[in-house]
Amino acid sequence: MDLNLLRSTLEELGQPRFRFDQVWKWTAEGAQGYHEMSNLPASLRAQLEERVPFSTLTEVTRAEASDGTVKLLLNTKDGRPIETVLMRYKDGRRSICVSSQSGCPLTCTFCATGAMKFGRNLTAWEILDQALHLRRIDELDHCVFMGMGEPMMNLDNVLEVCRRLPDVGITHRRTGISTVGWVPGIDKLTESDVPVRLAWSLHSAEDALRSDIMPVNDRYSLQDVKAACDRFYEKRRKMIFVEYIMLGGVNDSVAQAKQLADLLEPWKYKINLIPYNPTDSVYDGSERGAMEAFRQTLEDEGFNATIRLIRGRDIDAACGQLAAKAAA
Ligand code: SF4
């Protein structure tokens, strides 16, 4: 829902200010449409129906995996495809992974989104609507900006959404913005007033290999990004999550785990190893034994390192798989 449009429409209709809060409360709490907003006059509900679309997005398809993961393919008004995912865990967590761009200009070689044509930055309302579509399916408590696109290239809109997420049930402490290392965005987040978490998609601790798999590294080197993450830590004193996708025979040796340990400090960085989900790329996922040896090496060096649970692989909703089908 375009909340600016809602506000100006209510003003034009001469409605008192509290009407905006009423409509937003219903929407943030999972209402399926204006018709459910029982404390609004019926005539106002009808006017809103006509003048303020309940969502800026249209649901095109909905896929549900055997583990309860739900992936939505949504279209913007101008026909840009976006994917968004709800992951449901056995411990009760309900975590969403939202997109900040349609497609992505950064072309990481292992990523299905990177292979898709870049469309544009999403508006704040298009990002927020992904969360709201998922909120109509289930209650939510965690959010990562780790879907399609590089959130730091669209940070103002992402932060606008972060400010609204607590009303949807997701606190700042449970919100994470993930970046491949877009330094100006990291610095802007550090200076912002929104106390969310930072995640760095690192994937290789060697500049040459990192540039091969992530061309953005030619623009912002490991040391540049590390310095920006350190500035974030100095200011916020919040541990930074490092995401490391495990590509078989590429970045998963014990020697490479040691390089990673040399780059980072265990009290500042927590490391998530992500099993690679095969898309149409040239890479294979790492063997289970290689992942465990990598993790153990990091642990021996004093790091908190975990191997992430795979969610939604059977519907192409796992990490690195978004938009494989939408782009086809
Ligand atoms: S990994 Fe992220 S930054 Fe890289 S191409 Fe995919 S969406 Fe873009």
Side-chain angles (χ1 to χ4, degrees):
M1 180 183 292
D2 179 337
L3 295 180
N4 288 342
L5 178 63
L6 173 67
R7 199 183 292 280
S8 60
T9 305
L10 288 170
E11 270 170 25
E12 275 170 34
L13 294 172
Q15 291 291 323
R17 279 174 179 231
F18 66 82
R19 290 288 182 223
F20 177 90
D21 296 330
Q22 282 179 319
V23 174
W24 169 239
K25 188 169 192 300
W26 278 103
T27 310
E29 291 178 358
Q32 303 289 333
Y34 291 113
H35 61 278
E36 286 185 11
M37 302 183 182
S38 52
N39 53 359
L40 259 57
S43 57
L44 176 59
R45 294 201 303 252
Q47 283 168 313
L48 290 176
E49 195 82 60
E50 224 162 75
R51 296 180 54 167
V52 185
F54 194 60
S55 174
T56 57
L57 305 172
T58 313
E59 188 173 320
V60 181
T61 57
R62 180 184 295 203
E64 183 149 358
S66 46
D67 61 15
T69 300
V70 180
K71 180 175 75 168
L72 302 182
L73 172 62
L74 303 157
N75 267 358
T76 61
K77 249 203 183 130
D78 58 345
R80 310 276 181 190
I82 314 168
E83 292 190 322
T84 191
V85 180
L86 162 65
M87 290 153 286
R88 295 190 260 208
Y89 294 90
K90 289 205 177 85
D91 62 6
R93 266 180 307 145
R94 300 283 181 261
S95 184
I96 60 172
C97 177
V98 298
S99 299
S100 53
Q101 299 179 313
S102 176
C104 180
L106 295 186
T107 64
C108 302
T109 55
F110 52 82
C111 173
T113 309
M116 176 186 169
K117 196 164 162 275
F118 175 58
R120 61 167 171 81
N121 278 346
L122 299 177
T123 67
W125 316 128
E126 289 165 343
I127 301 170
L128 184 60
D129 270 325
Q130 296 169 56
L132 294 173
H133 274 257
L134 294 170
R135 176 64 188 83
R136 284 171 215 138
I137 297 172
D138 207 338
E139 293 188 2
L140 308 175
D141 48 39
H142 287 74
C143 174
V144 285
F145 290 86
M146 210 181 273
M148 295 163 63
E150 164 55 53
M152 296 296 182
M153 296 177 90
N154 190 15
L155 190 64
D156 289 339
N157 287 339
V158 166
L159 290 178
E160 174 85 40
V161 174
C162 290
R163 292 190 184 95
R164 292 265 165 204
L165 285 179
D167 297 335
V168 182
I170 304 166
T171 61
H172 292 321
R173 213 166 49 84
R174 291 172 165 185
T175 301
I177 301 181
S178 173
T179 179
V180 289
W182 196 258
V183 169
I186 299 172
D187 284 338
K188 199 168 180 183
L189 178 65
T190 302
E191 297 309 321
S192 83
D193 58 343
V194 187
V196 293
R197 315 294 298 239
L198 174 64
W200 178 12
S201 295
L202 205 160
H203 309 324
S204 170
E206 293 165 67
D207 271 311
L209 174 59
R210 194 165 191 270
S211 289
D212 273 355
I213 59 177
M214 307 171 76
V216 68
N217 194 69
D218 288 334
R219 184 151 179 179
Y220 300 113
S221 70
L222 279 166
Q223 283 310 327
D224 294 340
V225 184
K226 171 76 172 30
C229 288
D230 286 349
R231 289 191 287 276
F232 177 89
Y233 181 83
E234 290 312 317
K235 181 105 186 236
R236 300 289 180 98
R237 294 282 154 188
K238 280 206 177 94
M239 262 193 134
I240 295 164
F241 297 106
V242 163
E243 310 291 332
Y244 194 100
I245 203 153
M246 301 294 293
L247 305 171
V250 175
N251 65 351
D252 64 348
S253 70
V254 164
Q256 287 163 320
K258 289 209 168 103
Q259 275 180 326
L260 183 60
D262 288 343
L263 177 70
L264 305 173
E265 298 87 358
W267 61 91
K268 277 189 209 169
Y269 294 90
K270 178 183 180 307
I271 302 171
N272 281 317
L273 304 176
I274 307 174
Y276 182 60
N277 300 296
T279 52
D280 293 335
S281 81
V282 294
Y283 302 111
D284 292 320
S286 299
E287 302 288 334
R288 189 80 211 171
M291 280 197 280
E292 189 43 44
F294 199 97
R295 193 199 64 75
Q296 190 60 53
T297 305
L298 291 168
E299 201 176 287
D300 293 346
E301 299 281 340
F303 285 88
N304 181 341
T306 49
I307 299 175
R308 180 177 295 162
L309 285 174
I310 302 176
R311 313 294 298 176
R313 183 179 267 184
D314 53 335
I315 54 166
D316 287 350
C319 289
Q321 287 186 320
L322 292 190
K325 295 291 185 284

